[in-house]
Amino acid sequence: MSVQTMSLSGRKKEVSNKKMSFWESLYLVAIVKGLWITIGHLFTRKVTVKYPEEVRTRSAVWRGQHMLKRDEQGRENCTACGLCALSCPAEAITMTAAERKPDEKHLYREEKYASVYEINMLRCIFCGLCEEACPKDAIYLTESKVLVPASYEREDFIFGKDKLVMPLEMALANSKNKN
Amino acid sequence: MESAIIIEKSIFIFTIFAITMLAAMYSTWAERKVAAWLQDRIGPNRAGPLGLLQPLADGMKLFSKEEFLPNTPNKFLFVVGPAISMSVALMTSAVIPWGDKLVIGGHEVILQATDIDVSILYVFGVLSVGVYGIMIGGWASNNKFSLMSAMRASSQMISYEVAMGLSLIALLMMSGTLSLKEISEQQAGMNWNVFYQPLGFIIFLVCSFAETNRTPFDLAECEAELIGGYHTEYSSMRMGFYLFAEYASMFISSTILSVLYFGGYNYPGMGWAIEHWGVNAGNLIGVAVLFIKICAFIFFFMWVRWTIPRFRYDQLMRLGWQGLIPLAIANIVITGLVMVRHELAAALGF
């Protein structure tokens, strides 16, 4: 088979430069055919998702925004071991460890806790490796469908403990459900 | 009496002006919606319900843009260009019969700004002046692309005007009058001219696409070759005027098409409606019917725009001079032969 006649797709068409007849050169038939095709598209279903009003259904294993867990008594699980930061492929997590004071026993579960815990949401790729690495079940990715909101300032995307730690009421409600 | 007519006519003219502007405004919205639908999209839907406030938002955007004046010696002409385009597009509406007549307090009101007996000639005269708006704008821009685009637009409009006029002559031979009102009246019921002049209608339709510079004949605005065309150097509301004039002339073209070939304000059962529901109701339905026809034509203009790509310039000229003009002349000959068929048969001795 020569190169000239070869066709990989089987749809190859020879270009024809034949002279058009008078009726063809008026293009009327061709235009009517085209109009028929486009009018069909007027009645097709539109695939657009009107985003803020309707949210597309997410996968069952969807990984939403992070949360730092509390236990049943409302104490933070995190011990600032740094394994999540180490496992993070995007290097989005930083933390500062601190020692628990005697009067803070109701706040933190173990003697060491994270006084600062920050995730840079611009770097995070929501892979969930931090959740896998955590030995204390402290950090996990929620099923929340809320996306990180847009902002003009880069600083707004660095989420600290104020945004990450599970609300106390939620922890208490969870423990109630368990009992 | 004299002042009553002046007041009546000015109210009517202002109404027509407002309707034309509104129609042009919402044509821009409709164009974007139709474009979206034909391309399986949704189109503007953020500004107001169904995006209905989009034209206002667009207008506000255009008003707030910088008024740029290129370094040209023809500053006056630069300003005059869009003004001519706009006023020409609006002037044609003066002779359109929008409806038959209304009776208000025993006084007959004709739904037409002026009923001059050569209204078709007037329409053609005014439409031809539209070339000046584009030509002057392109010339005064002091930009070779604008100038080339203006040359293209004017040569295109002039050549298609020939075919347009010829296709109309066949119609005028049938109707025997140049008055749009009489032509409308002759098409009472379903006696529409399009059934008697199908070829003439197609030629006229194609030519009105060219006259209004719409796709597939929008070579004057061919972005790939000529940047923005004759309005490359225009910005702000001057640019808006050109764009607006295009939509206004599309509205007027649709009106003329409906009046000349699709029966104008006539609809089947009009006489029955006037008899049973009164003159006013029957004729107001007629006005509504005319507007439905106009909207259908505007939709058709848009439908074609999102179906066919732009013609090449030589194809355009060949279609005009070698396709449409011979067809239009043949149409005149056929119409003439059909009209004199009895005399012809008698003369030939049948």
Side-chain angles (χ1 to χ4, degrees):
Chain A
M1 192 185 256
S2 74
V3 179
Q4 277 78 31
T5 55
M6 201 165 67
S7 170
L8 289 175
S9 63
R11 285 178 296 180
K12 188 171 170 182
K13 255 192 182 170
E14 200 69 21
V15 174
S16 140
N17 267 337
K18 78 169 175 60
K19 205 157 169 22
M20 284 191 285
S21 69
F22 180 73
W23 279 108
E24 276 175 331
S25 69
L26 287 176
Y27 304 109
L28 281 177
V29 180
I31 286 171
V32 170
K33 273 187 200 162
L35 289 173
W36 181 249
I37 291 172
T38 41
I39 201 72
H41 281 267
L42 195 63
F43 304 106
T44 51
R45 205 177 62 80
K46 314 300 177 216
V47 292
T48 314
V49 178
K50 295 178 187 170
Y51 165 59
E53 288 96 40
E54 49 180 288
V55 178
R56 206 169 47 178
T57 49
R58 301 241 155 85
S59 144
V61 290
W62 161 261
R63 296 188 288 264
Q65 286 185 41
H66 317 67
M67 197 177 262
L68 281 172
K69 216 172 183 177
R70 292 178 193 270
D71 66 1
E72 284 88 358
Q73 295 159 40
R75 302 174 301 187
E76 284 176 25
N77 278 2
C78 180
T79 61
C81 63
L83 281 177
C84 49
L86 199 67
S87 71
C88 183
E91 298 185 5
I93 306 177
T94 53
M95 68 189 73
T96 309
E99 201 177 333
R100 182 181 69 179
K101 302 272 161 18
D103 59 335
E104 289 176 337
K105 277 188 180 168
H106 62 289
L107 290 177
Y108 310 108
R109 200 168 63 173
E110 305 196 16
E111 290 91 38
K112 192 165 141 240
Y113 71 97
S115 61
V116 176
Y117 191 102
E118 285 177 343
I119 301 179
N120 187 339
M121 286 302 185
L122 290 175
R123 304 199 68 151
C124 178
I125 56 171
F126 294 89
C127 61
L129 286 181
C130 46
E131 181 182 344
E132 271 178 45
C134 186
K136 299 287 181 187
D137 278 349
I139 187 163
Y140 67 101
L141 296 169
T142 59
E143 289 174 344
S144 157
K145 290 182 171 41
V146 182
L147 303 179
V148 178
S151 172
Y152 289 109
E153 310 293 333
R154 280 178 166 268
E155 284 69 35
D156 294 346
F157 293 101
I158 297 173
F159 281 19
K161 278 183 83 173
D162 53 328
K163 285 181 184 153
L164 291 172
V165 178
M166 173 191 269
L168 200 58
E169 305 85 64
M170 195 194 268
L172 295 177
N174 284 352
S175 67
K176 242 180 227 167
N177 288 345
K178 231 174 210 179
N179 297 337
Chain B
M1 188 59 210
E2 198 65 13
S3 62
I5 284 181
I6 291 174
I7 291 170
E8 176 198 317
K9 287 298 178 196
S10 9
I11 291 174
F12 188 74
I13 288 168
F14 273 114
T15 317
I16 291 304
F17 177 71
I19 288 175
T20 313
M21 290 303 242
L22 203 73
M25 232 168 98
Y26 274 93
S27 296
T28 63
W29 171 83
E31 172 111 83
R32 294 169 73 168
K33 272 289 187 195
V34 170
W37 289 334
L38 292 179
Q39 296 169 355
D40 298 346
R41 295 183 285 115
I42 290 175
N45 64 348
R46 294 289 119 176
L50 294 171
L52 276 173
L53 298 178
Q54 193 68 42
L56 291 179
D58 289 344
M60 217 147 81
K61 189 204 97 174
L62 278 173
F63 267 117
S64 60
K65 290 269 175 177
E66 184 196 349
E67 285 256 24
F68 175 75
L69 209 64
N71 187 14
T72 164
N74 298 313
K75 293 217 163 41
F76 176 69
L77 290 183
F78 187 77
V79 180
V80 161
I84 291 180
S85 273
M86 193 70 196
S87 34
V88 161
L90 292 171
M91 260 162 74
T92 349
S93 59
V95 293
I96 307 280
W98 300 94
D100 196 8
K101 62 185 174 213
L102 295 180
V103 178
I104 301 169
H107 177 66
E108 271 195 14
V109 180
I110 301 166
L111 292 176
Q112 189 176 11
T114 55
D115 179 22
I116 50 176
D117 50 3
V118 286
S119 25
I120 289 185
L121 279 186
Y122 170 83
V123 168
F124 269 74
V126 171
L127 277 182
S128 323
V129 178
V131 175
Y132 284 95
I134 292 172
M135 194 66 213
I136 288 175
W139 174 263
S141 292
N142 204 12
N143 173 331
K144 57 186 166 199
F145 291 109
S146 297
L147 182 62
M148 278 195 275
S149 155
M151 300 292 279
R152 272 189 183 190
S154 42
S155 55
Q156 165 189 335
M157 281 169 96
I158 288 166
S159 21
Y160 274 77
E161 227 150 62
V162 178
M164 200 179 200
L166 287 175
S167 72
L168 206 57
I169 283 176
L171 179 79
L172 299 179
M173 280 160 68
M174 273 178 53
S175 66
T177 173
L178 285 168
S179 157
L180 284 171
K181 188 165 181 60
E182 277 174 45
I183 290 177
S184 292
E185 278 162 4
Q186 283 171 3
Q187 303 180 69
M190 281 301 279
N191 218 6
W192 296 355
N193 280 334
V194 65
F195 302 124
Y196 303 103
Q197 286 287 338
L199 184 60
F201 167 69
I202 289 171
I203 296 168
F204 194 87
L205 184 72
V206 174
C207 293
S208 45
F209 273 89
E211 284 286 299
T212 48
N213 269 326
R214 294 280 305 179
T215 329
F217 305 121
D218 63 340
L219 286 128
E221 291 163 48
C222 182
E223 294 88 0
E225 298 157 22
L226 295 171
I227 319 173
Y230 53 88
H231 50 60
T232 303
E233 298 284 351
Y234 282 88
S235 67
S236 186
M237 214 47 207
R238 283 191 205 127
M239 160 100 167
F241 259 46
Y242 269 128
L243 301 180
F244 214 64
E246 191 190 314
Y247 283 99
S249 60
M250 186 168 84
F251 174 72
I252 296 295
S253 281
S254 305
T255 315
I256 292 170
L257 276 164
S258 342
V259 169
L260 284 180
Y261 286 97
F262 273 75
Y265 52 78
N266 289 297
Y267 55 97
M270 191 173 180
W272 185 88
I274 289 175
E275 217 171 278
H276 288 78
W277 299 336
V279 179
N280 287 353
N283 283 329
L284 280 177
I285 295 174
V287 176
V289 166
L290 176 61
F291 273 95
I292 291 169
K293 288 171 186 170
I294 294 170
C295 291
F297 269 112
I298 290 179
F299 174 76
F300 184 72
F301 270 89
M302 291 167 183
W303 180 17
V304 167
R305 171 165 182 189
W306 300 105
T307 301
I308 352 177
R310 199 175 278 130
F311 273 50
R312 223 168 49 214
Y313 196 62
D314 62 311
Q315 288 175 324
L316 173 93
M317 280 299 162
R318 188 171 302 134
L319 181 69
W321 289 103
Q322 296 182 3
L324 294 179
I325 291 177
L327 268 182
I329 292 172
N331 191 34
I332 292 174
V333 172
I334 293 165
T335 311
L337 286 177
V338 170
M339 280 174 72
V340 297
R341 61 188 184 279
H342 297 301
E343 290 87 339
L344 204 66
L348 291 175
F350 288 118

